[in-house]
Each structure stands twice: as structure tokens, then as C-alpha cells.
């Protein structure tokens, strides 16, 4: 059977999300099919070799979880300075969620298209930006325990379908050459120095904000979030996993 909503459904949403409304997120796991990411990382190295991962720039060793958290921040700063640019200093709020369409397949999987709106009153450009994502839930997801989630891009939607067949919720977002919704965020934050690949990774984190909002979207497990992509989308996925918080 097929179930399609006749028209857009506006999901009511407070002007400002309630404090603590978003579930705590675990580190974003990444599996990527990639080409050339090692060369990308070694461009800033005079020797052409990767710097030791567990050694600070001052030569001291990482000796535990607290030190690794500090080193991770150092690495992100180096990547931003030499390769990726820096994202905005603030994160916009999820201020609107609209269900555009929902369809149930014969197997019972449910596809929904959402229009997401993010707002930032402190923006130096437009105050808001909207874009569309698709979620695909496995059969019986509404009554089952929260499911793991896989994010991928529009041109790799088939990977999302494969994940749904294994019990995942898939989320297809517009962060690729085929469909890219990052231009609106670039306009919102004209002072950010980010490269396009960083913008797409940052957009993936905003989509994850939506998925982890308690009152909207499918029921997903915040401890089991993952992202994947091929080639430049694989690089983007690695960056998203490294920078997401």
C-alpha cells in the first residue's frame, strides 16, 4: 500500500528550542570510500609525511583521554588553518520543520521529505536558511526501539536503502555536487573562511541536529550515528565525523 500526504504538514515548533531538547550525541562514526585524502592531509607537511597523530605540535605525547581531546582540538585548528577554512563561530537554531511528503512502500518502509529551517538572528547575512532532506525508516520503526542512523548524500541514496534493509534509519541530505544546499549558509555567514567541502560537512552536522531533536523526525539512537560517502563525499564524511560535536 502507498500512503501519501496530500499536502505539506507544518509541525509546530517553539521559537527557541527548549534547553536540553536535543539528545546528547555520541561521536559520529564514518565509513568512507575515498580517493586522495592522504594527499590532502600531507599538503601542509614539508616532508610529505603525516604528522604523528598522538604527538602535540610542541612534541609532547598524548597520554590519555583528556590529552586526546586537547590534541583533537589542535588537529582541527591545523586543518582549518591550512586546508579547510573555519566554520562560523555560532550554530543556527533549528527553527522550523515541515513534512512535505510521506510514502509507505509495500515492504512497510516509510520515506518522508522534510523542509528544515535554521535561523540565526545574529547572522550578518540572511537570518534563515531552509533545505530539504529525506528520511527512510525500516518497517515497524514507529513501534520499535530507536534505530541506528546512516547519513549519506543524494547521489548515494542507494547506500541509504541498503542500510534500511539492515534496520537503519537512512537520512539523505543535500551535500553533494548533485544537490548542494550549502549556499544559503555561506550567505548567512559571509565572514566564515570555510571551503565548500567544510560547508557540506557542517551541513551534515545540522541535519544530525534535526535527527536528534526529541520531538521531530524518526526515532534514532543518538549513540549509533554514522555517515558515509564516496570520493569527495567520502572526504566530506571524514571531516564531518572529525568536526561534529
Amino acid at each position: 500500500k502507498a500512503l501519501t500526504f496530500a499536502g505539506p504538514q507544518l509541525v509546530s515548533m517553539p521559537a527557541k528550542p527548549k534547553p536540553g531538547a536535543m539528545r546528547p550525541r555520541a561521536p559520529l562514526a564514518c565509513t568512507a570510500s575515498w580517493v586522495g585524502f592522504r594527499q590532502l592531509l600531507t599538503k601542509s607537511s614539508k616532508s610529505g609525511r603525516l604528522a604523528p597523530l598522538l604527538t602535540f605540535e610542541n612534541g609532547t605525547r598524548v597520554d590519555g583521554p583528556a590529552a586526546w581531546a586537547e590534541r583533537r582540538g589542535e588537529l582541527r585548528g591545523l586543518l582549518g588553518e591550512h586546508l579547510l577554512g573555519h566554520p562560523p563561530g555560532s550554530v543556527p537554531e533549528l527553527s522550523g520543520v515541515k513534512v512535505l511528503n510521506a510514502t509507505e512502500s509495500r515492504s512497510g518502509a516509510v520515506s518522508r521529505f522534510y523542509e528544515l529551517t535554521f535561523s540565526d538572528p545574529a547572522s550578518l547575512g540572511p537570518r534563515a536558511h531552509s533545505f530539504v532532506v529525506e528520511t527512510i525508516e525500516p518497517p515497524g520503526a514507529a513501534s520499535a526501539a530507536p534505530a541506528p542512523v546512516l547519513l549519506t548524500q543524494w547521489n548515494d541514496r542507494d547506500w541509504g536503502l541498503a542500510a534500511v534493509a539492515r534496520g537503519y534509519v537512512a537520512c539523505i541530505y543535500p551535500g553533494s555536487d548533485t544537490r548542494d544546499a550549502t549556499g544559503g549558509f555561506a550567505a548567512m555567514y559571509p565572514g566564515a573562511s570555510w571551503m565548500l567541502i567544510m560547508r557540506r560537512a557542517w551541513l551534515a552536522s545540522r541535519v544530525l541536529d534535526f535527527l536528534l531533536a526529541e520531538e521531530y523526525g524518526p526515532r534514532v539512537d543518538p549513540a549509533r550515528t554514522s555517515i558515509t560517502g564516496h570520493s569527495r563525499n567520502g572526504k566530506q564524511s571524514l571531516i564531518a565525523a572529525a568536526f561534529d560535536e
Side-chain angles (χ1 to χ4, degrees):
K1 63 179 180 179
L3 172 65
T4 303
F5 294 148
Q9 270 195 325
L10 181 62
V11 180
S12 61
M13 190 162 192
K16 291 186 178 181
K18 298 177 182 179
M22 189 181 300
R23 290 167 286 184
R25 65 219 277 161
L28 182 60
C30 175
T31 172
S33 169
W34 51 275
V35 177
F37 197 69
R38 181 184 178 89
Q39 288 84 344
L40 176 69
L41 289 177
T42 56
K43 282 184 179 179
S44 62
S45 170
K46 292 180 181 179
S47 68
R49 296 178 180 178
L50 288 171
L53 183 64
L54 299 180
T55 302
F56 285 96
E57 289 296 288
N58 64 10
T60 60
R61 293 279 298 171
V62 172
D63 58 4
W68 167 243
E70 185 179 350
R71 172 61 172 158
R72 183 169 179 254
E74 185 178 65
L75 288 169
R76 290 191 298 183
L78 289 168
L79 284 168
E81 179 181 355
H82 294 288
L83 294 173
L84 303 174
H86 296 285
S90 61
V91 174
E93 293 180 344
L94 178 61
S95 58
V97 177
K98 183 187 294 184
V99 180
L100 301 178
N101 177 273
T103 303
E104 184 176 342
S105 70
R106 292 179 180 178
S107 69
V110 177
S111 164
R112 289 186 176 88
F113 286 84
Y114 294 89
E115 182 184 74
L116 309 181
T117 299
F118 288 84
S119 303
D120 186 348
S123 168
L124 297 179
R127 298 295 190 267
H129 174 47
S130 300
F131 58 91
V132 175
V133 301
E134 180 190 12
T135 65
I136 310 170
E137 300 172 55
S143 58
V149 62
L150 176 75
L151 288 86
T152 194
Q153 306 79 29
W154 286 101
N155 50 326
D156 290 324
R157 185 176 182 272
D158 285 351
W159 293 1
L161 295 176
V164 171
R166 291 163 172 80
Y168 283 69
V169 169
C171 183
I172 319 300
Y173 67 94
S176 65
D177 293 349
T178 305
R179 191 172 299 185
D180 183 0
T182 63
F185 284 129
M188 283 181 69
Y189 300 104
S193 63
W194 46 5
M195 303 291 285
L196 176 60
I197 197 167
M198 171 61 91
R199 291 208 309 265
R200 289 176 175 174
W202 192 83
L203 182 138
S205 288
R206 304 291 69 79
V207 175
L208 189 56
D209 291 344
F210 155 69
L211 291 169
L212 298 183
E214 292 183 335
E215 61 269 54
Y216 310 107
R219 298 176 69 242
V220 302
D221 184 348
R224 295 185 291 168
T225 59
S226 57
I227 185 170
T228 192
H230 168 68
S231 193
R232 75 184 65 186
N233 292 340
K235 298 171 188 174
Q236 171 204 150
S237 299
L238 289 166
I239 294 165
F243 281 78
D244 180 75
E245 289 185 336

